[in-house]
Every structure is written in C-alpha cells, then in structure tokens.
Amino acid sequence: MLDGKTLISEVNKLLNVEISEEDVDTIGGWLLTEKYDIAVGETLTFGPYVFTVKAFDGRQIKRIEVLKKDEENRLKKDEETRLDTPYEASGS
C-alpha cells in the first residue's frame, strides 16, 4: 500500500519501474494525470503492476494498492472460488 504523496522516484526504485516524473512528483498525481476521473476501486496497469485507488481525500488520492499482475489474478481467482463454494453451516 502506498500513500498518494509517495514520490515517483521512490516508487521507481521500490518497484524497479520507470514512471515518468516529467509532469508530476507523486504517485497519486501520476495516477490522476493518467486517468483524471479515476475513482476508488479503479485500476491502472503499468508494466507488471496494477495500481488500485483505495482512498481519496477530496480530489487527492490518499492510498494506492500495488500488486503484480499475477498476484492480482491469483487474488481474483481465490475470491471467485470462495464465492462459488456453497456455504455449509457447521454444528447441529
């Protein structure tokens, strides 16, 4: 989980990516420049990572979840499996 105010230079080092710092300094600002109307729960993919907006503070992105694509797919499959599995009450 990243704070929206995290510097792009720090994200680049942490994730070993090359997000452009030309127009903005923070990861939250970058997400907004990439998709100005992004909302909580929406995602943006860059390289092998999926960035998901988790919280806003007004028009400023507050928190961002970052997952590798394969990890995101695994989590979705786990969730689908849980939803497809019938609930069985225990004890009688």
Side-chain angles (χ1 to χ4, degrees):
M1 193 73 67
L2 294 174
D3 185 288
K5 293 181 181 178
T6 303
L7 295 175
I8 292 173
S9 59
E10 292 178 33
V11 175
N12 285 341
K13 288 177 192 171
L14 180 69
L15 302 178
N16 196 26
V17 294
E18 293 186 23
I19 296 172
S20 174
E21 301 174 64
E22 192 171 312
D23 297 325
V24 291
D25 297 324
T26 66
I27 192 66
W30 173 76
L31 280 169
L32 288 170
T33 61
E34 293 295 306
K35 188 172 182 189
Y36 73 94
D37 60 347
I38 197 164
V40 171
E42 288 190 319
T43 63
L44 183 74
T45 302
F46 184 85
Y49 294 98
V50 178
F51 296 81
T52 304
V53 175
K54 291 296 186 178
F56 268 96
D57 183 11
R59 256 319 275 160
Q60 184 178 21
I61 295 176
K62 195 78 170 158
R63 285 194 327 266
I64 303 159
E65 178 184 68
V66 183
L67 297 173
K68 277 198 164 188
K69 286 180 191 175
D70 57 341
E71 185 177 346
E72 183 200 31
N73 290 336
R74 183 184 53 77
L75 290 174
K76 282 182 181 177
K77 285 181 184 176
D78 288 349
E79 184 175 313
E80 289 170 3
T81 300
R82 283 194 304 272
L83 295 174
D84 290 341
T85 305
Y87 173 76
E88 294 182 22
S90 60
S92 293

XYZ file of all heavy atoms in Angstrom:
735
model
N 0.860 -1.167 0.000
C 0.000 0.000 0.000
C 0.904 1.227 0.000
O 1.865 1.295 0.753
C -0.883 -0.037 1.254
C -2.017 0.924 1.242
S -3.392 0.536 0.148
C -4.089 -0.903 0.872
N 0.588 2.158 -0.875
C 1.355 3.392 -0.959
C 0.490 4.584 -0.580
O -0.706 4.618 -0.870
C 1.856 3.624 -2.390
C 2.870 2.654 -2.959
C 3.126 2.987 -4.432
C 4.165 2.723 -2.176
N 1.113 5.563 0.039
C 0.475 6.849 0.266
C 0.473 7.578 -1.072
O 1.447 7.494 -1.832
C 1.285 7.631 1.306
C 0.610 8.930 1.696
O 0.601 9.861 0.848
O 0.117 9.028 2.823
N -0.579 8.287 -1.381
C -0.662 9.020 -2.640
C 0.425 10.067 -2.797
O 0.749 10.485 -3.902
N 1.011 10.519 -1.674
C 2.058 11.535 -1.712
C 3.459 10.952 -1.895
O 4.441 11.688 -1.904
C 2.026 12.366 -0.433
C 0.786 13.216 -0.303
C 0.819 14.031 0.974
C -0.441 14.855 1.117
N -0.439 15.616 2.382
N 3.554 9.633 -2.051
C 4.860 8.999 -2.254
C 5.460 9.507 -3.558
O 4.789 9.555 -4.594
C 4.719 7.465 -2.315
O 4.090 7.017 -1.106
C 6.076 6.794 -2.463
N 6.724 9.893 -3.495
C 7.396 10.412 -4.678
C 7.562 9.331 -5.740
O 7.846 8.167 -5.421
C 8.767 10.969 -4.313
C 8.770 12.200 -3.400
C 10.201 12.566 -3.038
C 8.064 13.375 -4.074
N 7.390 9.719 -6.992
C 7.545 8.782 -8.100
C 8.952 8.187 -8.103
O 9.121 7.004 -8.376
C 7.228 9.465 -9.448
C 5.734 9.794 -9.508
C 7.626 8.579 -10.621
C 5.330 10.616 -10.696
N 9.940 8.985 -7.761
C 11.317 8.467 -7.727
C 11.440 7.312 -6.743
O 12.141 6.331 -7.006
C 12.305 9.578 -7.378
O 12.004 10.150 -6.122
N 10.740 7.386 -5.615
C 10.757 6.302 -4.628
C 10.033 5.064 -5.172
O 10.487 3.934 -4.965
C 10.106 6.754 -3.320
C 10.897 7.807 -2.583
C 10.204 8.265 -1.310
O 9.523 7.437 -0.663
O 10.342 9.446 -0.978
N 8.911 5.264 -5.847
C 8.154 4.150 -6.427
C 9.003 3.462 -7.496
O 9.057 2.234 -7.558
C 6.810 4.637 -7.016
C 6.087 3.505 -7.734
C 5.937 5.226 -5.919
N 9.680 4.264 -8.326
C 10.538 3.693 -9.368
C 11.620 2.798 -8.767
O 11.883 1.711 -9.277
C 11.170 4.807 -10.205
C 10.190 5.432 -11.174
O 9.160 4.857 -11.501
N 10.507 6.625 -11.635
N 12.235 3.246 -7.684
C 13.273 2.442 -7.026
C 12.677 1.194 -6.387
O 13.221 0.094 -6.519
C 13.988 3.269 -5.954
C 14.901 4.334 -6.509
C 15.500 5.154 -5.388
C 16.175 6.411 -5.926
N 16.568 7.310 -4.853
N 11.576 1.356 -5.703
C 10.931 0.259 -4.989
C 10.462 -0.850 -5.922
O 10.664 -2.036 -5.655
C 9.742 0.792 -4.180
C 8.941 -0.211 -3.374
C 9.767 -0.742 -2.213
C 7.675 0.444 -2.839
N 9.848 -0.463 -7.041
C 9.243 -1.439 -7.950
C 10.107 -1.746 -9.166
O 9.737 -2.575 -9.994
C 7.871 -0.936 -8.419
C 6.840 -0.647 -7.325
C 5.560 -0.116 -7.943
C 6.575 -1.875 -6.482
N 11.224 -1.049 -9.281
C 12.120 -1.218 -10.430
C 11.385 -0.940 -11.750
O 11.394 -1.750 -12.675
C 12.758 -2.599 -10.443
C 13.952 -2.666 -11.367
O 14.607 -1.653 -11.623
N 14.243 -3.846 -11.877
N 10.701 0.210 -11.785
C 9.984 0.665 -12.973
C 10.491 2.054 -13.340
O 11.289 2.642 -12.612
C 8.448 0.690 -12.761
C 7.899 -0.710 -12.572
C 8.065 1.579 -11.599
N 10.003 2.596 -14.442
C 10.405 3.930 -14.877
C 9.181 4.780 -15.206
O 8.919 5.104 -16.364
C 11.341 3.842 -16.078
C 12.673 3.220 -15.723
C 13.664 3.248 -16.869
O 13.527 4.094 -17.770
O 14.570 2.414 -16.850
N 8.438 5.144 -14.160
C 7.300 6.043 -14.323
C 7.874 7.445 -14.527
O 8.766 7.865 -13.790
C 6.382 6.003 -13.085
C 5.766 4.605 -12.938
C 5.302 7.068 -13.176
C 5.007 4.389 -11.649
N 7.369 8.165 -15.498
C 7.878 9.492 -15.824
C 7.589 10.486 -14.699
O 6.474 10.558 -14.185
C 7.250 10.007 -17.119
O 7.633 11.340 -17.349
N 8.621 11.251 -14.356
C 8.488 12.300 -13.346
C 8.407 13.679 -13.984
O 8.508 14.697 -13.308
C 9.689 12.270 -12.402
C 9.879 10.967 -11.673
C 11.157 10.959 -10.865
O 11.263 11.760 -9.930
O 12.054 10.155 -11.189
N 8.206 13.709 -15.290
C 8.261 14.965 -16.033
C 7.185 15.963 -15.611
O 7.460 17.144 -15.426
C 8.134 14.672 -17.525
C 8.466 15.854 -18.395
C 8.532 15.463 -19.851
O 9.179 14.450 -20.187
O 7.914 16.187 -20.652
N 5.939 15.517 -15.453
C 4.834 16.436 -15.184
C 4.384 16.467 -13.726
O 3.757 17.438 -13.303
C 3.635 16.080 -16.060
C 3.941 16.244 -17.541
O 4.701 17.166 -17.884
O 3.437 15.437 -18.345
N 4.646 15.403 -12.973
C 4.192 15.325 -11.577
C 5.265 14.688 -10.708
O 6.155 14.000 -11.212
C 2.876 14.514 -11.454
C 1.714 15.254 -12.083
C 3.012 13.146 -12.076
N 5.150 14.896 -9.392
C 6.141 14.374 -8.454
C 5.678 13.150 -7.680
O 6.495 12.361 -7.221
C 6.526 15.453 -7.430
C 7.192 16.647 -8.075
O 7.951 16.450 -9.034
O 6.948 17.774 -7.609
N 4.353 13.014 -7.490
C 3.847 11.955 -6.616
C 3.092 10.886 -7.396
O 2.585 11.137 -8.493
C 2.895 12.528 -5.542
O 1.730 13.043 -6.206
C 3.572 13.616 -4.716
N 2.995 9.717 -6.795
C 2.298 8.603 -7.443
C 0.802 8.901 -7.581
O 0.178 8.540 -8.575
C 2.562 7.256 -6.701
C 2.089 6.077 -7.555
C 1.955 7.248 -5.314
C 2.853 5.881 -8.834
N 0.225 9.577 -6.605
C -1.185 9.967 -6.703
C -1.414 10.937 -7.851
O -2.371 10.804 -8.611
N -0.528 11.907 -7.987
C -0.619 12.857 -9.092
C -0.457 12.173 -10.433
O -1.151 12.491 -11.403
N 0.457 11.199 -10.499
C 0.661 10.457 -11.743
C -0.608 9.704 -12.141
O -1.018 9.740 -13.301
C 1.838 9.494 -11.593
C 2.009 8.593 -12.771
C 2.531 8.923 -13.991
C 1.642 7.216 -12.851
N 2.502 7.825 -14.825
C 1.968 6.762 -14.150
C 1.072 6.318 -11.947
C 1.729 5.455 -14.559
C 0.842 5.018 -12.363
C 1.175 4.603 -13.656
N -1.228 9.027 -11.167
C -2.464 8.295 -11.479
C -3.533 9.237 -12.024
O -4.232 8.905 -12.986
C -2.997 7.578 -10.238
C -2.321 6.258 -9.896
C -2.733 5.788 -8.509
C -2.643 5.199 -10.926
N -3.651 10.424 -11.430
C -4.650 11.385 -11.897
C -4.323 11.928 -13.284
O -5.238 12.214 -14.060
C -4.799 12.528 -10.898
C -5.515 12.161 -9.601
C -5.403 13.287 -8.584
C -6.976 11.826 -9.870
N -3.043 12.077 -13.610
C -2.701 12.543 -14.957
C -2.947 11.445 -15.985
O -3.264 11.740 -17.135
C -1.237 13.032 -15.069
O -0.346 11.974 -14.763
C -0.992 14.224 -14.180
N -2.803 10.196 -15.580
C -3.054 9.080 -16.488
C -4.545 8.863 -16.719
O -4.973 8.490 -17.807
C -2.432 7.793 -15.942
C -0.919 7.811 -15.918
C -0.311 7.886 -17.298
O -0.644 7.049 -18.153
O 0.509 8.807 -17.525
N -5.339 9.075 -15.676
C -6.797 8.896 -15.767
C -7.444 9.888 -14.811
O -7.660 9.594 -13.636
C -7.176 7.449 -15.413
C -8.624 7.150 -15.671
C -8.947 5.680 -15.504
C -10.412 5.466 -15.835
N -10.857 4.135 -15.504
N -7.741 11.072 -15.318
C -8.182 12.190 -14.469
C -9.453 11.919 -13.688
O -9.689 12.499 -12.637
C -8.335 13.476 -15.286
C -9.537 13.478 -16.192
C -10.742 14.022 -15.782
C -9.465 12.917 -17.466
C -11.848 14.007 -16.609
C -10.565 12.894 -18.288
C -11.757 13.451 -17.857
O -12.841 13.431 -18.668
N -10.300 11.000 -14.164
C -11.569 10.724 -13.482
C -11.548 9.386 -12.741
O -12.592 8.816 -12.443
C -12.731 10.769 -14.460
C -12.611 9.744 -15.585
O -11.516 9.153 -15.760
O -13.611 9.532 -16.299
N -10.355 8.911 -12.411
C -10.226 7.631 -11.710
C -10.959 7.704 -10.365
O -10.981 8.747 -9.712
C -8.742 7.239 -11.536
C -8.614 5.748 -11.208
C -8.049 8.122 -10.510
C -7.200 5.209 -11.399
N -11.587 6.615 -9.991
C -12.379 6.567 -8.753
C -11.850 5.463 -7.846
O -11.073 4.606 -8.267
C -13.844 6.309 -9.094
N -12.299 5.477 -6.607
C -11.927 4.433 -5.654
C -12.317 3.082 -6.231
O -13.417 2.905 -6.757
C -12.607 4.659 -4.287
C -12.414 3.473 -3.369
C -12.063 5.923 -3.627
N -11.379 2.142 -6.178
C -11.614 0.803 -6.694
C -11.158 0.610 -8.131
O -11.033 -0.521 -8.588
N -10.913 1.696 -8.854
C -10.464 1.580 -10.236
C -8.964 1.316 -10.288
O -8.235 1.678 -9.366
C -10.805 2.831 -11.034
C -12.281 2.950 -11.311
C -12.587 4.051 -12.301
O -11.969 5.131 -12.226
O -13.454 3.826 -13.152
N -8.547 0.699 -11.380
C -7.149 0.302 -11.505
C -6.499 0.911 -12.731
O -7.175 1.326 -13.682
C -7.026 -1.228 -11.607
O -7.686 -1.660 -12.800
C -7.619 -1.919 -10.403
N -5.177 0.935 -12.682
C -4.345 1.343 -13.807
C -3.160 0.401 -13.830
O -2.537 0.160 -12.799
C -3.878 2.790 -13.629
C -3.052 3.358 -14.765
C -3.951 3.651 -15.964
C -2.355 4.627 -14.341
N -2.876 -0.159 -14.997
C -1.763 -1.095 -15.131
C -0.565 -0.382 -15.731
O -0.702 0.373 -16.698
C -2.171 -2.281 -16.016
O -3.310 -2.924 -15.428
C -1.050 -3.288 -16.151
N 0.606 -0.620 -15.142
C 1.864 -0.082 -15.669
C 2.908 -1.167 -15.524
O 3.207 -1.602 -14.405
C 2.287 1.174 -14.899
C 3.518 1.819 -15.464
C 3.421 2.718 -16.506
C 4.772 1.508 -14.964
C 4.560 3.313 -17.033
C 5.913 2.094 -15.483
C 5.806 3.008 -16.525
N 3.432 -1.614 -16.654
C 4.400 -2.709 -16.611
C 3.761 -3.928 -15.972
O 2.608 -4.257 -16.261
N 4.476 -4.571 -15.044
C 3.933 -5.772 -14.415
C 3.048 -5.478 -13.195
O 2.660 -6.383 -12.476
C 5.190 -6.534 -13.986
C 6.176 -5.457 -13.690
C 5.885 -4.364 -14.700
N 2.717 -4.200 -12.956
C 1.986 -3.822 -11.746
C 0.605 -3.268 -12.038
O 0.371 -2.619 -13.053
C 2.778 -2.774 -10.955
C 4.071 -3.332 -10.419
C 5.270 -3.112 -11.082
C 4.089 -4.110 -9.272
C 6.462 -3.647 -10.608
C 5.266 -4.653 -8.788
C 6.449 -4.415 -9.465
O 7.617 -4.952 -9.004
N -0.295 -3.519 -11.092
C -1.643 -2.975 -11.138
C -1.797 -2.054 -9.931
O -1.609 -2.475 -8.789
C -2.708 -4.100 -11.098
C -4.106 -3.506 -11.092
C -2.519 -5.045 -12.272
N -2.116 -0.786 -10.199
C -2.310 0.218 -9.163
C -3.811 0.399 -8.967
O -4.528 0.675 -9.928
C -1.693 1.552 -9.590
C -0.194 1.510 -9.765
C 0.376 1.011 -10.926
C 0.639 1.958 -8.760
C 1.750 0.969 -11.093
C 2.020 1.922 -8.914
C 2.581 1.432 -10.080
N -4.282 0.233 -7.733
C -5.706 0.371 -7.426
C -5.896 1.484 -6.415
O -5.276 1.475 -5.342
C -6.277 -0.934 -6.840
O -6.023 -2.005 -7.753
C -7.773 -0.819 -6.599
N -6.752 2.447 -6.749
C -7.051 3.541 -5.829
C -7.906 2.995 -4.696
O -8.953 2.389 -4.928
C -7.786 4.693 -6.550
C -8.193 5.777 -5.571
C -6.912 5.267 -7.657
N -7.447 3.209 -3.467
C -8.169 2.710 -2.302
C -8.871 3.804 -1.504
O -9.844 3.534 -0.818
C -7.222 1.937 -1.368
C -6.749 0.628 -1.955
C -7.933 -0.285 -2.145
C -7.549 -1.663 -2.584
N -8.701 -2.539 -2.713
N -8.363 5.047 -1.584
C -8.992 6.129 -0.822
C -8.643 7.484 -1.419
O -7.541 7.688 -1.931
C -8.543 6.085 0.637
N -9.614 8.390 -1.353
C -9.444 9.781 -1.760
C -9.610 10.687 -0.554
O -10.298 10.335 0.407
C -10.528 10.177 -2.770
C -10.150 9.985 -4.208
C -10.508 8.836 -4.880
C -9.465 10.973 -4.892
C -10.181 8.654 -6.208
C -9.127 10.808 -6.221
C -9.494 9.647 -6.888
N -9.024 11.865 -0.636
C -9.261 12.937 0.326
C -9.588 14.151 -0.532
O -8.685 14.826 -1.028
C -8.018 13.179 1.180
C -8.240 14.230 2.253
O -9.399 14.612 2.466
O -7.247 14.667 2.863
N -10.863 14.376 -0.761
C -11.276 15.399 -1.719
C -10.934 14.922 -3.118
O -11.379 13.872 -3.550
N -10.070 15.669 -3.820
C -9.646 15.278 -5.171
C -8.238 14.702 -5.160
O -7.645 14.437 -6.191
C -9.652 16.503 -6.091
C -10.762 16.641 -7.070
C -11.252 15.442 -7.804
N -10.512 15.096 -9.010
C -10.537 13.905 -9.568
N -11.227 12.929 -9.044
N -9.864 13.656 -10.658
N -7.690 14.497 -3.975
C -6.330 13.966 -3.847
C -6.388 12.479 -3.503
O -7.118 12.058 -2.607
C -5.595 14.715 -2.743
C -4.162 14.314 -2.575
C -3.476 15.129 -1.489
O -4.127 15.705 -0.614
N -2.177 15.161 -1.529
N -5.605 11.674 -4.243
C -5.556 10.244 -3.944
C -4.770 10.050 -2.659
O -3.648 10.526 -2.526
C -4.919 9.455 -5.102
C -5.804 9.565 -6.350
C -4.713 7.996 -4.711
C -5.230 8.902 -7.588
N -5.374 9.370 -1.717
C -4.781 9.181 -0.391
C -3.993 7.863 -0.295
O -2.893 7.837 0.211
C -5.899 9.202 0.647
C -5.449 9.380 2.051
C -5.125 10.821 2.296
C -4.911 11.032 3.775
N -4.135 12.214 4.035
N -4.600 6.738 -0.765
C -3.949 5.422 -0.667
C -4.089 4.661 -1.979
O -5.132 4.700 -2.628
C -4.572 4.603 0.459
C -4.153 5.062 1.834
C -4.487 4.062 2.933
N -5.698 3.293 2.725
C -6.895 3.603 3.194
N -7.055 4.667 3.924
N -7.929 2.830 2.969
N -3.019 3.912 -2.295
C -2.972 3.137 -3.530
C -2.434 1.749 -3.212
O -1.387 1.620 -2.578
C -2.041 3.807 -4.561
C -2.503 5.245 -4.834
C -1.965 2.994 -5.842
C -1.426 6.126 -5.419
N -3.153 0.733 -3.664
C -2.674 -0.640 -3.529
C -1.915 -0.991 -4.808
O -2.355 -0.666 -5.911
C -3.854 -1.587 -3.365
C -3.458 -3.045 -3.274
C -4.665 -3.942 -3.202
O -5.400 -4.024 -4.212
O -4.884 -4.538 -2.144
N -0.762 -1.634 -4.650
C 0.043 -2.040 -5.799
C 0.256 -3.544 -5.729
O 0.736 -4.064 -4.721
C 1.419 -1.331 -5.804
C 2.199 -1.716 -7.039
C 1.253 0.172 -5.705
N -0.138 -4.237 -6.801
C 0.053 -5.683 -6.897
C 0.669 -6.019 -8.239
O 0.416 -5.330 -9.229
C -1.289 -6.422 -6.785
C -2.057 -6.294 -5.480
C -3.426 -6.938 -5.626
C -1.292 -6.928 -4.340
N 1.463 -7.087 -8.249
C 1.933 -7.599 -9.543
C 0.740 -8.232 -10.242
O -0.164 -8.754 -9.587
C 3.040 -8.637 -9.343
C 4.386 -8.019 -9.151
C 5.459 -9.034 -9.395
C 6.764 -8.295 -9.583
N 7.830 -9.170 -10.001
N 0.735 -8.196 -11.573
C -0.403 -8.735 -12.334
C -0.730 -10.161 -11.947
O -1.884 -10.496 -11.734
C -0.120 -8.675 -13.829
C -0.199 -7.303 -14.421
C 0.089 -7.372 -15.901
C 0.294 -6.010 -16.485
N 0.688 -6.067 -17.901
N 0.262 -11.026 -11.820
C -0.002 -12.423 -11.480
C -0.586 -12.551 -10.082
O -1.432 -13.389 -9.821
C 1.242 -13.291 -11.640
C 2.424 -12.818 -10.819
O 2.450 -11.644 -10.400
O 3.339 -13.626 -10.585
N -0.183 -11.688 -9.159
C -0.727 -11.710 -7.796
C -2.177 -11.256 -7.804
O -3.031 -11.835 -7.128
C 0.115 -10.798 -6.897
C -0.276 -10.842 -5.451
C 0.618 -9.979 -4.580
O 1.695 -9.558 -5.041
O 0.232 -9.727 -3.429
N -2.493 -10.234 -8.596
C -3.865 -9.747 -8.687
C -4.761 -10.847 -9.258
O -5.849 -11.091 -8.754
C -3.942 -8.500 -9.569
C -5.359 -7.944 -9.617
C -5.601 -7.049 -10.807
O -4.991 -7.251 -11.860
O -6.456 -6.164 -10.665
N -4.295 -11.536 -10.302
C -5.080 -12.624 -10.892
C -5.320 -13.749 -9.892
O -6.398 -14.312 -9.829
C -4.383 -13.167 -12.143
C -4.421 -12.187 -13.288
O -5.299 -11.328 -13.349
N -3.467 -12.288 -14.182
N -4.291 -14.076 -9.092
C -4.430 -15.123 -8.085
C -5.466 -14.721 -7.040
O -6.324 -15.514 -6.653
C -3.091 -15.402 -7.405
C -3.149 -16.530 -6.383
C -1.834 -16.727 -5.658
N -1.300 -15.532 -5.058
C -1.734 -14.990 -3.920
N -2.739 -15.530 -3.265
N -1.174 -13.907 -3.426
N -5.445 -13.457 -6.609
C -6.415 -12.992 -5.614
C -7.837 -13.031 -6.170
O -8.772 -13.394 -5.467
C -6.055 -11.578 -5.156
C -4.799 -11.452 -4.304
C -4.477 -9.989 -4.050
C -4.932 -12.208 -2.997
N -8.000 -12.662 -7.457
C -9.325 -12.717 -8.075
C -9.834 -14.146 -8.137
O -10.986 -14.421 -7.857
C -9.285 -12.112 -9.471
C -9.273 -10.609 -9.490
C -9.290 -10.094 -10.905
C -9.261 -8.579 -10.919
N -9.214 -8.052 -12.292
N -8.951 -15.092 -8.503
C -9.352 -16.497 -8.575
C -9.736 -17.024 -7.202
O -10.706 -17.757 -7.054
C -8.222 -17.340 -9.171
C -8.078 -17.167 -10.654
C -6.964 -18.026 -11.210
C -6.775 -17.760 -12.699
N -5.654 -18.489 -13.258
N -8.963 -16.651 -6.171
C -9.287 -17.068 -4.805
C -10.656 -16.542 -4.403
O -11.456 -17.249 -3.803
C -8.234 -16.577 -3.814
C -6.912 -17.312 -3.935
O -6.859 -18.343 -4.640
O -5.923 -16.846 -3.331
N -10.942 -15.285 -4.757
C -12.223 -14.690 -4.408
C -13.354 -15.384 -5.158
O -14.401 -15.687 -4.586
C -12.217 -13.194 -4.743
C -13.485 -12.487 -4.320
C -13.404 -10.993 -4.551
O -12.399 -10.389 -4.179
O -14.370 -10.459 -5.127
N -13.156 -15.676 -6.441
C -14.178 -16.376 -7.218
C -14.440 -17.764 -6.645
O -15.578 -18.203 -6.572
C -13.746 -16.487 -8.681
C -13.789 -15.171 -9.423
C -13.142 -15.237 -10.788
O -12.701 -16.335 -11.201
O -13.079 -14.188 -11.450
N -13.401 -18.440 -6.216
C -13.551 -19.765 -5.620
C -14.387 -19.679 -4.350
O -15.290 -20.484 -4.131
C -12.174 -20.381 -5.305
O -11.439 -20.478 -6.526
C -12.310 -21.752 -4.682
N -14.109 -18.674 -3.509
C -14.881 -18.504 -2.276
C -16.349 -18.230 -2.592
O -17.245 -18.715 -1.920
C -14.307 -17.369 -1.436
C -13.057 -17.737 -0.687
C -12.721 -16.706 0.370
N -12.596 -15.360 -0.166
C -11.478 -14.837 -0.653
N -10.374 -15.539 -0.680
N -11.457 -13.595 -1.102
N -16.601 -17.427 -3.630
C -17.979 -17.098 -3.985
C -18.708 -18.285 -4.591
O -19.921 -18.414 -4.443
C -18.007 -15.917 -4.962
C -17.504 -14.587 -4.399
C -17.453 -13.537 -5.504
C -18.375 -14.103 -3.250
N -17.986 -19.161 -5.285
C -18.599 -20.332 -5.915
C -18.801 -21.493 -4.956
O -19.551 -22.416 -5.237
C -17.740 -20.820 -7.093
C -17.782 -19.838 -8.255
O -18.713 -19.018 -8.298
O -16.881 -19.906 -9.110
N -18.103 -21.478 -3.826
C -18.197 -22.576 -2.873
C -19.434 -22.401 -2.013
O -19.614 -21.365 -1.378
C -16.932 -22.607 -1.965
O -15.792 -22.682 -2.803
C -16.990 -23.770 -1.013
N -20.315 -23.405 -1.992
C -21.543 -23.276 -1.181
C -21.198 -23.199 0.310
O -20.263 -23.827 0.786
C -22.330 -24.546 -1.483
C -21.507 -25.366 -2.399
C -20.241 -24.655 -2.679
N -21.959 -22.394 0.999
C -21.784 -22.239 2.434
C -22.443 -23.403 3.142
O -23.584 -23.759 2.849
C -22.404 -20.922 2.903
C -22.399 -20.779 4.403
C -21.226 -20.460 5.077
C -23.551 -20.977 5.140
C -21.218 -20.332 6.457
C -23.561 -20.856 6.507
C -22.378 -20.523 7.159
O -22.369 -20.400 8.527
N -21.709 -24.014 4.055
C -22.278 -25.095 4.860
C -22.181 -24.714 6.313
O -21.108 -24.447 6.822
C -21.510 -26.401 4.614
C -21.678 -26.926 3.197
C -20.956 -28.243 3.012
O -20.690 -28.936 4.023
O -20.672 -28.578 1.859
N -23.335 -24.662 6.957
C -23.346 -24.351 8.374
C -22.825 -25.550 9.153
O -23.129 -26.689 8.836
C -24.773 -24.007 8.822
N -22.027 -25.288 10.144
C -21.498 -26.391 10.947
C -22.279 -26.510 12.250
O -22.835 -25.548 12.744
C -20.011 -26.173 11.241
O -19.839 -24.972 11.939
N -22.278 -27.703 12.768
C -22.944 -27.972 14.043
C -24.458 -28.069 13.890
O -25.071 -27.345 13.155
N -25.036 -29.000 14.569
C -26.492 -29.144 14.539
C -26.984 -29.549 15.884
O -26.390 -30.264 16.579
C -26.926 -30.206 13.545
O -26.654 -29.807 12.241
